[in-house]
Amino acid sequence: MRTFTQYVSLCLLLICNVYNVFGQDKSKLRIIMIGAHPDDCDMGGGGTAILFAKMGYAVKFVSVTNGDAGHQTMKGVPLATRRFAEAQEAGKRFGVTYDVLNNHDGELLPTLAVRLQIIKKIREWNADIVIAPRPNDYHPDHRYTGVLVQDAAYMVAVPNVAPGTPALKKNPVFLYFQDRFQKPNPFRPDIAIDITPVYLQKIHAMDAHESQMYEWLPWIGHFLDQVPAKKQEREDWLAKRRAVEIIPSVRQSLEKWYGKDKAGTIQNAEAFEICEYGAQPNDEEKKRLFPMLAVTGASL
């Protein structure tokens, strides 16, 4: 015979199982980051993704290409297969879901077919926040990923576009990853997040992309001879190599969100610019969308 407590526990377990299958907590934020290659989201927003995940929010990374051209000796299906596996391992380390679309690396164009892929991904994730590159960048895949996400920004709410996937009831907030490019206009850090406490976890997750962090990027950048041989030394080296300088405009944004004293102690940050094409949040809504700011931020 089961006790009353055992019956209650069993009922709660059944309720949880039904909830997990058929529903989701509508109060929970859902974040999707979209990059051109497997490792782009990791570099641009990995620390912020970790913070969201630690707070219990659902985060998805999407690579629009399969990465089948990004290596000096491998290519095609073997490289794409390797990079997919690396992305899955990185996703586990970040605490996110990692999708890789099967479009060729180095050949991405802003076609209707790829736009529909992105619309479907955003809708399926029921995203509140969408982050992607700006459409001005040295790499055409990055540029066109930015264009594709911009082109999806309004269409995700249009029922007759990609009708096989239900349209969103609201337009998400679309943001851009930080970049260094100045023309036609420099990056504007509307949101800046302190990732100092999780920076080493971000590096450990990026370390999963061995083909990129320790082979391809050092080779194309002409510093392959600097890559250490031992694993721990590699992560230490990667942490130094991938540290992003906090430029004055980002420091100013950190001061707005964290207060001047706290901002002065921040060593690692990620910043994002709000795209004009999605929802336009005020400062209080920004703190709701990025609750790590509401926890430790300055009063506005």
Side-chain angles (χ1 to χ4, degrees):
M1 294 290 291
R2 290 189 174 94
T3 66
F4 175 77
T5 301
Q6 288 173 324
Y7 273 114
V8 171
S9 299
L10 180 60
C11 289
L12 288 173
L13 180 61
L14 290 172
I15 290 170
C16 288
N17 287 338
V18 170
Y19 175 84
N20 287 335
V21 173
F22 295 107
Q24 65 185 43
D25 185 348
K26 301 301 182 184
S27 69
K28 291 285 191 181
L29 293 169
R30 298 180 66 80
I31 303 94
I32 189 168
M33 299 187 183
I34 303 173
H37 309 106
D39 73 353
D40 286 352
C41 296
D42 314 46
M43 291 188 278
T48 302
I50 291 168
L51 292 173
F52 272 123
K54 286 182 179 293
M55 298 179 82
Y57 301 115
V59 184
K60 179 187 284 289
F61 286 178
V62 176
S63 174
V64 182
T65 77
N66 60 17
D68 60 357
H71 202 270
Q72 66 273 32
T73 58
M74 298 182 69
K75 64 181 179 179
V77 173
L79 179 57
T81 301
R82 181 183 180 191
R83 295 195 68 181
F84 179 83
E86 290 175 342
Q88 300 315 300
E89 177 59 28
K92 292 176 184 177
R93 298 183 190 185
F94 278 113
V96 309
T97 303
Y98 213 129
D99 289 0
V100 179
L101 303 183
N102 195 29
N103 300 302
H104 288 302
D105 184 359
E107 300 180 9
L108 186 66
L109 291 172
T111 65
L112 176 59
V114 183
R115 184 200 307 169
L116 292 175
Q117 291 177 351
I118 290 174
I119 289 170
K120 290 175 182 178
K121 286 293 179 184
I122 294 171
R123 287 178 176 177
E124 288 168 354
W125 197 244
N126 192 23
D128 300 287
I129 297 170
V130 182
I131 309 179
R134 293 198 301 162
N136 47 306
D137 190 281
Y138 76 98
H139 198 305
D141 288 353
H142 298 173
R143 289 199 300 272
Y144 293 140
T145 295
V147 170
L148 285 159
V149 176
Q150 282 187 347
D151 289 349
Y154 176 70
M155 296 300 180
V156 294
V158 179
N160 286 331
V161 174
T165 308
L168 296 183
K169 302 298 184 183
K170 58 178 178 15
N171 209 358
V173 175
F174 287 77
L175 303 100
Y176 301 121
F177 295 117
Q178 182 179 351
D179 61 60
R180 66 181 187 276
F181 305 104
Q182 301 298 303
K183 296 179 181 180
N185 52 278
F187 172 82
R188 184 188 68 235
D190 296 310
I191 304 285
I193 306 295
D194 176 16
I195 66 162
T196 308
V198 297
Y199 179 67
L200 292 182
Q201 182 179 345
K202 173 182 176 176
I203 292 299
H204 178 60
M206 288 169 56
D207 164 79
H209 297 280
E210 292 184 0
S211 70
Q212 305 302 294
M213 298 301 118
Y214 306 126
E215 297 171 22
W216 167 242
L217 294 175
W219 183 87
I220 197 70
H222 306 290
F223 56 90
L224 185 59
D225 59 336
Q226 299 176 21
V227 179
K230 296 182 179 179
K231 180 171 177 55
Q232 187 54 55
E233 291 177 358
R234 282 186 166 192
E235 286 200 35
D236 294 342
W237 172 84
L238 190 63
K240 294 177 182 177
R241 184 83 199 183
R242 287 292 162 183
V244 176
E245 178 186 2
I246 299 178
I247 60 175
S249 60
V250 172
R251 184 70 69 183
Q252 185 176 7
S253 185
L254 289 169
E255 290 178 359
K256 171 183 177 178
W257 295 110
Y258 291 90
K260 191 168 185 177
D261 290 344
K262 170 64 176 175
T265 68
I266 294 173
Q267 296 177 316
N268 304 99
E270 290 173 349
F272 309 97
E273 176 180 340
I274 295 174
C275 172
E276 295 177 298
Y277 300 159
Q280 300 297 296
N282 60 30
D283 281 349
E284 285 305 314
E285 289 168 335
K286 291 171 189 173
K287 291 176 75 172
R288 180 186 67 81
L289 290 165
F290 291 85
M292 61 284 289
L293 299 175
V295 171
T296 60
S299 58
L300 301 176

